[in-house]
Amino acid sequence: MSILSSILSMFTGGASSASAAKPMAEPQTYKDCVIHAEPIREGSQLRLAGRIEKTVDGRVLERKFIRADVFTSVDDAIDCTFRKAQQIIDQNGPSLFADGEETRIV
């Protein structure tokens, strides 16, 4: 019975992992931008990923980012995602949204 339970948990564990693929946190506002932390689950780790939104002339523009950094803790992945987004905003300044594209990967 325990072998059957182990096999079953592998399949049900995969399903619950898929539903937890995007651990969410409350968005943060930084320099007129809204940052969404959306780490991507890869096995037992989480890849740093998120998006930055800014309203420009009544339109919401979005910049998505994925980085190579991986974490074992959801909290670490989310914290680092917010820090990385702030760094992207600081480094790019107004040029981050200057092209007017609705969505883009940075």
Side-chain angles (χ1 to χ4, degrees):
M1 184 75 171
S2 65
I3 294 173
L4 182 58
S5 296
S6 297
I7 293 171
L8 183 59
S9 70
M10 286 174 27
F11 291 108
T12 58
S16 66
S17 295
S19 65
K22 287 189 175 184
M24 299 297 264
E26 288 297 313
Q28 290 186 0
T29 302
Y30 181 75
K31 295 187 177 181
D32 297 328
C33 296
V34 178
I35 303 167
H36 299 267
E38 299 173 339
I40 299 168
R41 183 160 300 279
E42 294 183 359
S44 64
Q45 297 182 317
L46 294 150
R47 182 164 306 280
L48 189 153
R51 61 189 163 94
I52 304 166
E53 294 179 344
K54 183 173 183 175
T55 303
V56 178
D57 297 329
R59 295 174 47 221
V60 177
L61 306 181
E62 175 183 78
R63 300 297 176 257
K64 297 179 181 181
F65 60 96
I66 299 173
R67 298 297 184 262
D69 309 84
V70 291
F71 305 89
T72 56
S73 159
V74 171
D75 291 336
D76 288 345
I78 289 171
D79 290 342
C80 288
T81 299
F82 285 128
R83 282 199 306 274
K84 178 53 80 174
Q86 291 173 356
Q87 182 182 22
I88 291 168
I89 293 165
D90 290 340
Q91 288 177 345
N92 290 279
S95 69
L96 184 60
F97 294 96
D99 62 5
E101 291 291 322
E102 206 162 291
T103 186
R104 174 167 65 91
I105 297 174
V106 294

